[in-house]
Amino acid sequence: VLLSARLRAGVLQLDVSKDLQQLSGQALVAAVAQIVFTGSQLTGVRSVKILVEGADQQWPTGNGEVQSDPLTVYDYPGLVQSAQPAYPAIPTPSQP
């Protein structure tokens, strides 16, 4: 549950309920990434800091490392879905 949201100097600070901490492993990474991707869509947001009931927390990034710094979409490579089609393979040159 979102308790509050505040934007300061490009950092969107979101305060959420303890429910988010009930997740673990890949489910937690996916949930945090979704929050970061969604928040980053707002004008002026460069990074997202997620608090739990006002307290700083460490969150996993896409590679499983934890950090307490504000998060960006670049912390979750490969998790963002794109509408762009897959890049086509390079054709094999034909032999004469």
Side-chain angles (χ1 to χ4, degrees):
V1 175
L2 180 63
L3 303 175
S4 70
R6 178 176 24 180
L7 180 60
R8 285 190 182 166
V11 178
L12 178 62
Q13 183 174 298
L14 301 174
D15 191 7
V16 300
S17 66
K18 291 182 180 181
D19 298 329
L20 185 59
Q21 293 177 314
Q22 300 302 313
L23 301 173
S24 63
Q26 204 51 35
L28 179 59
V29 171
V32 171
Q34 183 61 58
I35 291 169
V36 172
F37 290 140
T38 301
S40 296
Q41 294 295 309
L42 300 172
T43 302
V45 175
R46 291 191 313 267
S47 61
V48 177
K49 182 166 184 71
I50 305 170
L51 307 174
V52 173
E53 297 187 0
D56 283 331
Q57 301 291 314
Q58 291 186 335
W59 299 106
T61 61
N63 64 6
E65 294 181 13
V66 293
Q67 71 175 45
S68 56
D69 293 333
L71 301 162
T72 70
V73 295
Y74 301 109
D75 290 313
Y76 301 94
L79 292 180
V80 67
Q81 294 184 2
S82 174
Q84 181 176 355
Y87 190 74
I90 298 173
T92 305
S94 59
Q95 299 290 331

